Amino acid sequence: MKVVIIGVGLIGGSFAKDVKKLHPEAEIIGVDKSETHLDEALQLQIIDKKGGYQDLATADLVYVGIPVNVLVTELPKILDAAGDDTVVIDAGSTKRLICEQVAEHPNRRNFMACHPIAGTEFSGPTAALEGLYTGKTMIICEVEKTAFKLQEKALAIFQEIGMRIRYMNPEAHDKHIAYVSHLSHISSFMLGKTVIEKEKNERDIFDMAGSGFESTVRLAKSSPDMWTPIFEQNKDNVVETLEEYIQNLTTFKQLILDNDFENVHQEMSNTNKIKQILKGIPLTKK
């Protein structure tokens, strides 16, 4: 099996590690704009060699883990270079614009629009983790537009890795992911910003930060290069979720101002049901 990883960071590198564990004979070829990332991926044995788009024609599977703004412009070129039997899988956190971009591409049948609900706050090849995808959900959009034999090839790998499969349309994906992923990242970034601006003495933050603060602000360590384009592409849904979030914060603030701590307690009690919703979802730590 010949697998090309375009973008050998956390997402692409972790996928490469899982494929290599399952298929030691597989040839993993890395493509990345950063020569440093490619060198690191080689040193870490994430990839077997460096390559380019010329390798796509003979690849069985191409996994694309690059920022969504770059993905929109590069995906048509990737599909141009893909062979008849090559399945091209993306891992973008937005789906509508990406699917629209290749809707009329002659090789649309080779593309499977995906979003793995997996990751950490770290980036680059050194962040790649074997087992990152195990037990996680792979969302697939517009699966009917992918050639059936190529669907089977991709699904077989996902199932071998141990992923759950969920099918959605691109619009529903982008709306729902704004709530469960994009909003959490914004909240984390802004919490970090608020504390940094308030506590000018960084030593105080370090000394006083407990596990609650650390876990809540963890996502603020995520790459701005990756997340800025996500917020841009999913702007309408992100703004809608922010408006609802801000309204909830304003209401909670008013309850405190009004000394209405009975309803403060009730708000938190009502929200405690999130424990049952999230029960069983594994948290990846590094």
Side-chain angles (χ1 to χ4, degrees):
M1 180 165 58
K2 181 177 178 180
V3 176
V4 177
I5 305 293
I6 301 178
V8 293
L10 165 69
I11 298 300
S14 297
F15 186 80
K17 279 177 168 279
D18 283 347
V19 170
K20 198 67 172 178
K21 182 179 180 181
L22 291 164
H23 299 276
E25 79 291 348
E27 181 184 32
I28 311 290
I29 298 171
V31 179
D32 200 293
K33 70 174 184 178
S34 168
E35 200 66 27
T36 300
H37 278 184
L38 287 172
D39 289 339
E40 288 178 352
L42 270 174
Q43 184 179 1
L44 295 167
Q45 298 183 318
I46 294 171
I47 60 174
D48 296 314
K49 67 177 185 179
K50 303 177 186 180
Y53 285 7
Q54 70 275 5
D55 293 295
L56 304 188
T58 54
D60 294 292
L61 186 148
V62 177
Y63 194 78
V64 190
I66 57 180
V68 291
N69 59 326
V70 182
L71 184 57
V72 166
T73 57
E74 289 300 306
L75 187 56
K77 302 174 190 176
I78 292 167
L79 289 176
D80 286 342
D84 289 342
D85 297 321
T86 303
V87 59
V88 176
I89 302 164
D90 86 303
S93 186
T94 59
K95 290 272 78 80
R96 182 185 60 80
L97 187 60
I98 290 163
C99 288
E100 288 177 355
Q101 185 71 6
V102 295
E104 305 302 324
H105 194 284
N107 290 337
R108 176 62 184 84
R109 63 184 291 280
N110 293 83
F111 175 56
M112 181 176 274
C114 294
H115 178 201
I117 309 302
T120 72
E121 67 272 30
F122 303 101
S123 58
T126 56
L129 292 170
E130 185 180 294
L132 177 69
Y133 292 95
T134 304
K136 304 299 175 51
T137 299
M138 179 68 85
I139 297 175
I140 303 175
C141 296
E142 298 185 334
V143 68
E144 72 281 357
K145 296 185 179 181
T146 307
F148 186 70
K149 67 176 181 178
L150 300 182
Q151 289 181 36
E152 289 185 314
K153 186 185 295 187
L155 288 170
I157 291 289
F158 299 157
Q159 288 163 359
E160 283 181 311
I161 290 173
M163 302 195 76
R164 299 187 294 261
I165 306 299
R166 175 81 185 270
Y167 298 98
M168 301 181 75
N169 67 59
E171 292 76 19
H173 167 276
D174 287 4
K175 184 176 182 65
H176 296 319
I177 207 71
Y179 284 93
V180 296
S181 175
H182 301 173
L183 180 60
S184 7
H185 280 80
I186 293 171
S187 299
S188 189
F189 277 117
M190 291 304 99
L191 173 60
K193 178 180 187 293
T194 302
V195 173
I196 288 170
E197 289 179 348
K198 189 66 176 177
E199 298 288 344
K200 300 300 182 184
N201 185 336
E202 293 187 10
R203 183 70 192 180
D204 287 345
I205 297 175
F206 179 79
D207 288 342
M208 297 177 66
S211 59
F213 176 78
E214 183 181 4
S215 61
T216 307
V217 83
R218 175 180 65 87
L219 296 177
K221 294 182 278 185
S222 301
S223 167
D225 291 337
M226 182 177 78
W227 280 97
T228 302
I230 290 171
F231 298 147
E232 181 180 8
Q233 286 193 13
N234 206 21
K235 174 184 172 181
D236 291 345
N237 289 312
V238 166
V239 168
E240 181 181 332
T241 63
L242 276 172
E243 287 173 348
E244 294 179 33
Y245 185 49
I246 290 166
Q247 182 56 55
N248 280 325
L249 288 173
T250 302
T251 299
F252 198 77
K253 173 187 172 184
Q254 192 59 50
L255 291 174
I256 293 174
L257 286 171
D258 293 342
N259 290 316
D260 187 357
F261 292 102
E262 181 178 344
N263 274 313
V264 166
H265 183 279
Q266 189 61 51
E267 287 280 339
M268 292 188 290
S269 295
N270 291 341
T271 309
N272 273 170
K273 67 182 181 182
I274 201 76
K275 290 186 288 188
Q276 294 304 315
I277 295 171
L278 296 178
K279 188 177 180 180
I281 297 177
L283 297 176
T284 300
K285 296 184 178 181
K286 183 178 174 77

